Amino acid sequence: MNAAPSQLFGLTGLAKAPADLPVLVVGAGIMGAGIAQVAAQAGHPVMLFDVREGAAAQARDQLATTFDTLVAKQKLTAEAAAHILARIQVVTALDSAARAHLVVEAIVEKLEVKRSLFQQLEAVVSADCVLATNTSSISVTAIANGLHHPQRLVGMHFFNPVPLMKLVEVVSGLQTAPAVADGIVELAQAWGKTPVHARSTPGFIVNRIARPYYAETLALLQEQAANPAVLDACLRSVGFRMGPCELMDLIGHDTNFSVTSSVYEANFFDKRFVPSLVQRELVDGGLLGRKTGRGFYSYAPGAEKPAMVPDSPALTGLPPFTTLAVVGTGPVADALHQRLAAHMPERLAEVARLPDAGWVGLQVGDAQLRLTDGRTATELGGVSAADTAVFDWPTLVAPTEVLAWAPSVRSSDAWATQAPLWLQALGFNPQRLADVPGLVVARTLSMLVNEAADAVQQGVCSAVGADAAMKLGVNYPAGPFDWLARWGAPAVVQVLAALDATYRGERYRTSPWLRQQAALA
């Protein structure tokens, strides 16, 4: 049923009168079933369709089991569960779409299949029906190509598991009508979700900004800077629920590699998104993670989970020193001084403060223990200050926080032994890495901020939207602009510059937006 554009987009009432407006969900897999559940819980009559015979009925039966579980846990009354399930109707033909005011597609991630489906739907649906795709990576503009009224197509990207995850990326293609995107935002809010506007670019918000979280760890593994357990522990220690290696094992390396490859190709092979040879080898070997029993870690029965690296050896006393100074200004320097006061109050009077040295850390005699600015310890120490070590960006919150550190290759054996003892005395669990630029946390957070900055500059999302998307969509402990506010644009730009100077090429180029923020600081 075709309609003139002026007749389209009556969606604003959908959020206001959910009991009156039917929703058709096409695709009865995990995502489709979850979307059907959320829509039905919000009060919509829901039609569930799948081309595979029996799939929709099976999904409804599984939802019945889910509701029984919720009732048993007293999270839902039996009466409410019965009413919700009664709203979900299995349909066997797309002709049922004639009754729908909204169609949400959650089928296979293939452009031509999605495009064909929406062209079929457009011949059936009413003039004021909105068409939504749950695609996680395919261009909404491309899916709409060939529709009589592409203005009515919008991305409505949920995250798995749909009933629990709050984020919905509302994705506008080139021809999506603003009224449609705004209506979907209202609807998502009525469904108890947190919607974020996004423009249809490769990866949208979450899958784009998240790439460095995996990519930097994979790069460090390729350089043999540390093992997966150490890298995971460092990032868990700053608040991430899972380290990159265990998260990739959970997602599946085939899936993660495919998304990275898709974003890389869609961005015309931009080196910032280049896939990893380390992950490619895992995929080629069938070591896909939990679903195959082995990825970075073993998931065989009885296998020991490497949840955390071991503690550093027990400290028997502070290392000897002739003179000691806390160097630099800011939160890290202040925290170092406070921790020294807690551990050695009797000698605090001997600890000097050197605020104007141009770096942050400890000066122990002639040796330096420096907060990373992206440069390696070897580069910072040069020849004249060979006893140099660097440590990673800390949260200064977590007890016995795992903290990466690295000595200069010119450091004496004595300093390479003493440096981690000082970190341990300050309340950290130091883990030695190879002397790589930016260590783990500093380079990962800087690249996440950099990617988010480019997304904002390119109009993909707002800074507020980026923070919300990353915290709600992938459970980050903070958003990229939260980290930017904490560390400051100059520090982030310095880390990126050091990475670029070491590796050259386009991967670590600094976002113009971020460079401007650093100039304004």
Side-chain angles (χ1 to χ4, degrees):
M1 180 185 299
N2 295 331
S6 61
Q7 294 176 271
L8 296 172
F9 322 132
L11 186 64
T12 52
L14 188 58
K16 298 175 183 177
D20 298 329
L21 300 176
V23 174
L24 171 68
V25 177
V26 181
I30 293 175
M31 295 302 291
I35 295 167
Q37 177 182 338
V38 169
Q41 285 177 322
H44 293 273
V46 177
M47 297 168 283
L48 185 59
F49 171 81
D50 198 293
V51 293
R52 186 168 62 87
E53 186 176 353
Q58 183 179 4
R60 188 180 184 278
D61 291 343
Q62 183 58 51
L63 285 173
T65 301
T66 298
F67 294 147
D68 288 342
T69 301
L70 293 173
V71 170
K73 293 181 177 180
Q74 298 185 335
K75 294 184 177 181
L76 200 64
T77 67
E79 183 181 12
H83 284 310
I84 295 167
L85 188 63
R87 293 188 197 110
I88 302 173
Q89 173 191 2
V90 171
V91 296
T92 57
L94 283 180
D95 290 347
S96 303
R99 296 189 286 121
H101 283 249
L102 171 68
V103 178
V104 184
E105 164 272 313
I107 62 173
V108 63
E109 280 286 278
K110 292 185 178 179
L111 172 61
E112 290 305 324
V113 178
K114 291 181 185 290
R115 186 183 284 166
S116 175
L117 170 66
F118 283 115
Q119 288 172 358
Q120 293 177 59
L121 286 167
E122 198 173 38
V124 177
V125 297
S126 62
D128 62 353
C129 181
V130 166
L131 306 177
T133 172
N134 183 54
T135 182
S136 61
S137 59
I138 300 174
S139 165
V140 173
T141 301
I143 295 172
N145 186 10
L147 293 181
H148 292 289
H149 302 298
Q151 305 98 317
R152 73 161 90 194
L153 183 71
V154 64
M156 194 177 189
H157 179 211
F158 294 85
F159 288 76
N160 189 32
V162 175
L164 299 180
M165 299 296 284
K166 290 292 186 183
L167 180 68
V168 175
E169 290 180 321
V170 179
V171 186
S172 294
L174 278 179
Q175 299 188 74
T176 302
V180 168
D182 290 343
I184 288 292
V185 165
E186 291 180 26
L187 177 67
Q189 290 170 337
W191 288 6
K193 301 300 182 183
T194 302
V196 175
H197 277 290
R199 189 164 63 85
S200 184
T201 55
F204 308 146
I205 305 173
V206 171
N207 279 329
R208 172 183 176 164
I209 295 177
R211 297 340 298 163
Y213 188 64
Y214 313 109
E216 293 311 305
T217 284
L218 289 167
L220 289 167
L221 289 171
Q222 187 161 337
E223 293 182 48
Q224 302 183 75
N227 64 43
V230 168
L231 299 175
D232 278 350
C234 288
L235 285 158
R236 279 199 308 269
S237 212
V238 294
F240 290 95
R241 293 188 182 183
M242 299 182 75
C245 295
E246 56 187 340
L247 182 55
M248 285 184 278
D249 274 2
L250 175 65
I251 294 169
H253 290 282
D254 51 343
T255 300
N256 190 266
F257 184 80
S258 176
V259 172
T260 300
S261 300
S262 174
V263 172
Y264 178 51
E265 181 179 356
N267 280 284
F268 302 109
F269 304 102
D270 186 333
K271 295 299 183 185
R272 183 176 288 176
F273 306 106
V274 65
S276 166
L277 291 173
V278 171
Q279 191 168 48
R280 175 61 182 268
E281 188 174 24
L282 289 170
V283 173
D284 287 348
L287 306 177
L288 307 182
R290 291 192 182 189
K291 60 187 174 184
T292 61
R294 184 181 168 191
F296 285 117
Y297 305 115
S298 173
Y299 301 91
E304 183 176 347
K305 181 184 177 184
M308 180 59 74
V309 296
D311 289 339
S312 302
L315 181 68
T316 56
L318 285 170
F321 62 92
T322 51
T323 59
L324 179 64
V326 175
V327 182
T329 60
V332 174
D334 291 344
L336 295 180
H337 190 264
Q338 291 165 6
R339 291 186 179 208
L340 285 172
H343 285 278
M344 44 184 296
E346 73 284 356
R347 301 193 64 177
L348 189 60
E350 302 174 37
V351 179
R353 291 295 300 259
L354 303 176
D356 301 321
W359 56 277
V360 172
L362 294 183
Q363 178 92 35
V364 184
D366 293 329
Q368 297 179 353
L369 182 57
R370 300 172 61 145
L371 176 70
T372 182
D373 66 359
R375 290 175 288 180
T376 64
T378 302
E379 184 179 0
L380 289 170
V383 177
S384 59
D387 273 348
T388 304
V390 291
F391 62 93
D392 212 344
W393 286 359
T395 65
L396 304 174
V397 175
T400 61
E401 176 179 343
V402 176
L403 191 70
W405 75 282
S408 163
V409 297
R410 297 189 183 94
S411 288
S412 65
D413 290 342
W415 179 238
T417 299
Q418 287 185 21
L421 295 179
W422 279 105
L423 290 173
Q424 191 180 24
L426 293 168
F428 298 107
N429 178 1
Q431 298 295 325
R432 182 170 176 173
L433 264 67
D435 189 21
V436 291
L439 297 173
V440 187
V441 173
R443 73 189 283 168
T444 300
L445 296 189
S446 294
M447 284 295 283
L448 288 168
V449 169
N450 197 44
E451 197 57 52
D454 260 0
V456 168
Q457 183 174 43
Q458 294 163 12
V460 176
C461 59
S462 66
V464 171
D467 279 351
M470 301 316 291
K471 287 185 281 190
L472 296 174
V474 279
N475 291 314
Y476 279 9
F481 294 96
D482 294 329
W483 287 314
L484 180 61
R486 171 177 168 77
W487 289 103
V492 173
V493 168
Q494 170 59 45
V495 170
L496 294 169
L499 289 163
D500 186 56
T502 299
Y503 298 107
R504 296 301 180 185
E506 291 296 301
R507 179 179 179 129
Y508 296 105
R509 68 183 184 276
T510 303
S511 165
W513 185 95
L514 188 57
R515 195 181 297 278
Q516 183 181 65
Q517 298 305 304
L520 294 172

